[in-house]
Amino acid sequence: MSFYYTLCILSAMAMLIAFINSKISKLQTTIAITAGAMMLSLLILIAGQFDWFQLTSVAASTVATINFEDFLLKGILGFLLFAGGLGIKLPNLKEQKWEITTLALASTLISTVTVGALLYGFCQIVGVPFDFIYCLLFGALISPTDPIAVLAIVKKLDAPQRISTQIEGESLFNDGFGLVLFVTLYTIAFGTEAPTVGSVTLLFLHEALGGIAYGFVLGLLFHYLISATDDHSMELLFTIGIPTAGYVFADIIGVSGPLAMVVSGIMIGNWTRFVGFSKESEEHLDHFWELVDEFLNGVLFLLIGMSMLLFQFHQEDWILMVFSIPLVLFARFFSVSSAYIGFKKFRTYNPYSVKILTWGGLRGGLAIAMALSIPSGIWVIEEKLIDVKEIMMVMTYSVVVFSILIQGSTIVPLIEKAKKAERDLVDVDCEP
């Protein structure tokens, strides 16, 4: 089956699951699609185990026809991040600029080291010969919160403004820093030449700062293009040019396409929206990109749910899968609470901020795509054919599924408590 046919079938399945969910359970769409895909995958696996139908190998080979890494990192990621940037309110972002910068940079680094060190210690205890550099590599790919998962779930729950801005802003910007960390550690683990301080610094400047600068130029270019026409359809078509041609060109010149999409999305959403678009386009801009966002999210999270068909599970995999969930949650809590020690010296925050940022720090397809990029055949336990990629994949998958299904579906009570605390704080301030 061709890639296009597979994509069409997956799209239809995602829409069907979303429709059934809207009529029965009314779960958040992203959670429902992921859960539905996992149930479907499990049924196929059970049918294959009992030899009821020859479905397992057919389904697994169908899912395998999609290069998940390219599909996300070089495909739909640009659309999803641009759509996320459109919805960011720049005044709120400015107010929280130091918090977002600290969470995106320092907290990601702290979490990476914490995950790496604790995972290495646990592997020594259970007798899995997993090198320290691979533990750090797992920390680098799992520590950044996934902007796609966060924006798809948390943004729609109407959290208090300051908390919402922090978690949205962090998730949109920390993937650039996380990718730089991942690429650096990937080079150390699998490259032929060890990176130097100079090469790492140059990589960061080129990827991260280059992506921000390119995103500004791209946003400026399309602002003037959109402002030069009054044709409603043409104005919306121009916005598609940013995550398509604009994203591809970022890859060609070697700068961070994700950061460029966020920057240009913020520019179009906060500047062009009010002075460049016609009245009709301004009214339809959000509806148009919400539709694109919902469709692509549906396909992406269906793929995440069905990717379990590609795994071969061993006893060691199950042990590390179970351990990786509390490990990542602890590292997230430790890194966020460490940042808040400094934050609280300058400003008062909602008492539930750290808990929401910890529990709402969701992971998604971005982490799975990075795990898929790890080469196969580097054996950890050769007699059982367990390699580095398999361990990385099963740990990443367990954390992603837990964050989407459990964290995403249980964060509502925390946000409700935060809203109540926010209202109580306002009432106290208003008292004479």
Side-chain angles (χ1 to χ4, degrees):
M1 188 181 297
S2 70
F3 170 78
Y4 178 71
Y5 281 11
T6 302
L7 190 60
C8 289
I9 291 172
L10 291 175
S11 302
M13 289 170 61
M15 286 184 278
L16 179 61
I17 293 172
F19 175 75
I20 293 173
N21 171 66
S22 69
K23 296 297 183 182
I24 300 176
S25 65
K26 301 188 185 300
L27 286 171
Q28 205 283 331
T29 305
T30 301
I31 297 171
I33 290 175
T34 306
M38 288 182 63
M39 290 175 61
L40 180 62
S41 303
L42 189 60
L43 287 173
I44 293 173
L45 287 172
I46 293 172
Q49 289 292 321
F50 289 95
D51 202 27
W52 292 338
F53 309 100
Q54 297 300 317
L55 287 178
T56 305
S57 58
V58 174
S61 62
T62 300
V63 175
T65 59
I66 297 180
N67 187 323
F68 198 101
E69 180 190 358
D70 282 348
F71 179 69
L72 177 60
L73 294 181
K74 297 182 179 180
I76 66 173
L77 181 61
F79 286 89
L80 295 168
L81 291 181
F82 178 74
L86 280 176
I88 291 290
K89 302 295 185 291
L90 196 56
N92 297 341
L93 206 63
K94 285 180 179 178
E95 186 199 1
Q96 300 283 304
K97 58 182 179 295
W98 296 117
E99 288 91 336
I100 291 170
T101 302
T102 303
L103 289 169
L105 300 181
S107 294
T108 302
L109 184 59
I110 291 170
S111 176
T112 297
V113 175
T114 303
V115 169
L118 293 179
L119 178 60
Y120 180 72
F122 181 77
C123 287
Q124 300 307 301
I125 293 172
V126 298
V128 177
F130 206 51
D131 291 348
F132 183 59
I133 186 61
Y134 301 143
C135 296
L136 281 177
L137 192 63
F138 174 69
L141 72 88
I142 207 65
S143 291
T145 54
D146 190 288
I148 301 165
V150 169
L151 294 175
I153 295 176
V154 177
K155 188 178 180 181
K156 298 180 180 180
L157 298 180
D158 194 27
Q161 180 182 300
R162 188 170 288 173
I163 297 175
S164 180
T165 302
Q166 283 182 16
I167 197 167
E168 291 170 28
E170 177 205 9
S171 68
L172 284 168
F173 285 103
N174 71 0
D175 64 314
F177 182 62
L179 281 169
V180 171
L181 272 180
F182 178 78
V183 169
T184 303
L185 292 169
Y186 185 99
T187 304
I188 296 173
F190 307 115
T192 55
E193 298 180 6
T196 64
V197 175
S199 64
V200 171
T201 304
L202 185 63
L203 176 65
F204 178 78
L205 291 174
H206 191 203
E207 281 272 343
L209 299 185
I212 293 171
Y214 171 70
F216 177 80
V217 173
L218 190 66
L220 194 65
L221 171 64
F222 277 87
H223 168 79
Y224 285 118
L225 286 173
I226 291 168
S227 301
T229 179
D230 292 324
D231 186 289
H232 164 61
S233 300
M234 183 61 67
E235 288 172 338
L236 292 179
L237 280 173
F238 272 137
T239 63
I240 298 178
I242 296 175
T244 51
Y247 192 80
V248 169
F249 190 68
D251 186 57
I252 292 172
I253 62 178
V255 300
S256 174
L259 285 176
M261 293 303 102
V262 173
V263 172
S264 57
I266 290 173
M267 289 179 65
I268 298 298
N270 288 272
W271 180 27
T272 314
R273 176 195 298 272
F274 302 110
V275 299
F277 285 109
S278 62
K279 190 65 177 176
E280 186 179 6
S281 294
E282 184 185 337
E283 292 173 354
H284 288 89
L285 179 66
D286 288 330
H287 295 299
F288 173 75
W289 277 100
E290 280 173 11
L291 180 63
V292 173
D293 190 44
E294 287 286 347
F295 173 72
L296 293 178
N297 264 312
V299 176
L300 172 63
F301 285 101
L302 181 67
L303 277 174
I304 291 175
M306 297 194 70
S307 61
M308 67 184 293
L309 293 170
L310 305 177
F311 297 160
Q312 295 291 330
F313 294 100
H314 298 86
Q315 180 183 346
E316 291 80 2
D317 295 332
W318 288 109
I319 293 172
L320 292 174
M321 283 173 67
V322 172
F323 177 72
S324 62
I325 295 170
L327 168 66
V328 172
L329 281 173
F330 171 76
R332 173 69 178 171
F333 175 78
F334 178 67
S335 62
V336 171
S337 57
S338 298
Y340 261 80
I341 292 173
F343 294 167
K344 289 177 180 178
K345 293 180 179 179
F346 304 98
R347 190 178 287 176
T348 301
Y349 294 91
N350 189 294
Y352 291 93
S353 294
V354 173
K355 291 180 181 178
I356 291 177
L357 283 165
T358 299
W359 201 245
L362 308 180
R363 276 72 177 185
L366 197 58
I368 289 180
M370 286 191 278
L372 280 167
S373 70
I374 293 170
S376 303
I378 302 174
W379 305 113
V380 177
I381 305 176
E382 189 169 359
E383 59 271 21
K384 292 186 177 181
L385 299 180
I386 301 175
D387 63 2
V388 172
K389 184 171 186 174
E390 177 181 323
I391 291 178
M392 291 282 196
M393 282 297 301
V394 295
M395 288 194 300
T396 303
Y397 185 77
S398 65
V399 172
V400 168
V401 170
F402 182 87
S403 73
I404 295 172
L405 296 186
I406 307 301
Q407 293 173 232
S409 61
T410 57
I411 197 174
V412 175
L414 265 180
I415 291 179
E416 291 302 322
K417 289 179 180 179
K419 288 183 190 176
K420 184 178 183 301
E422 201 88 358
R423 289 193 296 269
D424 293 343
L425 187 63
V426 171
D427 290 341
V428 170
D429 291 340
C430 291
E431 290 179 3

